[in-house]
Amino acid sequence: GLRDEDAPPWWMRAMWMFVDDSDAFVDRVARDLGAMPWSLGAAALEVALGIGGDRGLQLVAHYAEKAKKRGVRNKAAALLAKEAERQGLTAEALEDRIAPDLGLRAGRPEVLDLGTVQLAIGLDGTLTPFLRLPDGSRRSTLPTSKEHDPDKVAVAKARWSQLRKDLKRVAATLRARLERAMVEGRTWTAEDFARYLTPHPLQGPVVRSLLWRVVDGPFFRVDEAGGWADRNDDAVPIGG
């Protein structure tokens, strides 16, 4: 367990017991942690982990990778490792399972409706968002027209702006984690790879942009349908 000097301050422990809106607390920690003294930030992360469910875990995983203050980064990594051990997983496997989706759904692109035209949201291999028009062309901004429904345009603008903002926050962490996995030679079972990485709305586009290899087997890429194909586009059996 935690030593007394490592435990969250009493008022944070009280919030842990009585907070009504765990998402609001996690959002506040995400917003303010950079300005907190590192000891207070570390305590805030522990409370967020205790009350925030997957969102709290996602926040801890983000700061384990990206916190500027070493003390906060080390604390977040220790919290993540402890939670992974509790679940019988490695920290990396836990991160696969809790990767944020930002409200996107794999295989079912979100559509922004402007009234006169609908645009599907897409992500490339760097997790840069784009909008696909009905004719298949891409653009990075919402088209303007006096014929668009102003109420629907307002909703679409708010969603597009928030998604771009959220992607800036999570994309670098997610890409760095997968890049580190490649450098370290991490392996996945075919089942975990197909369950947690390939279909995920954020991890999937990165996975499809990379070349993979079955251990002691062929190289392959992942296609849009989640299948494996070699350089000649011939199917590679899942699992090699």
Side-chain angles (χ1 to χ4, degrees), residues 144-219:
T144 58
S145 171
K146 293 181 179 180
E147 296 179 358
H148 294 162
D149 183 310
D151 292 333
K152 291 183 176 180
V153 168
V155 172
K157 280 184 175 180
R159 171 57 173 155
W160 185 237
S161 176
Q162 187 63 50
L163 179 62
R164 290 166 63 90
K165 179 180 178 180
D166 290 342
L167 279 167
K168 286 182 179 180
R169 175 174 54 84
V170 305
T173 300
L174 192 151
R175 290 199 307 268
R177 183 165 61 81
L178 289 178
E179 289 168 0
R180 185 176 69 249
M182 294 182 67
V183 170
E184 295 176 353
R186 181 186 168 196
T187 61
W188 289 262
T189 65
E191 179 181 3
D192 283 354
F193 187 81
R195 182 175 181 181
Y196 299 112
L197 270 68
T198 301
H200 192 276
L202 299 190
Q203 297 185 128
V206 180
V207 166
R208 290 192 293 274
S209 72
L210 301 173
L211 186 65
W212 301 84
R213 186 182 186 185
V214 177
V215 175
D216 297 326
F219 287 93

Side-chain angles (χ1 to χ4, degrees), residues 108-153:
R108 297 179 60 181
E110 182 176 344
V111 174
L112 300 182
D113 184 4
L114 304 183
T116 59
V117 65
Q118 290 74 42
L119 303 98
I121 294 175
L123 299 175
D124 66 17
T126 66
L127 297 183
T128 300
F130 61 85
L131 296 167
R132 190 183 299 279
L133 277 70
D135 63 6
S137 61
R138 295 183 181 186
R139 58 181 300 138
S140 60
T141 59
L142 292 169
T144 58
S145 171
K146 293 181 179 180
E147 296 179 358
H148 294 162
D149 183 310
D151 292 333
K152 291 183 176 180
V153 168

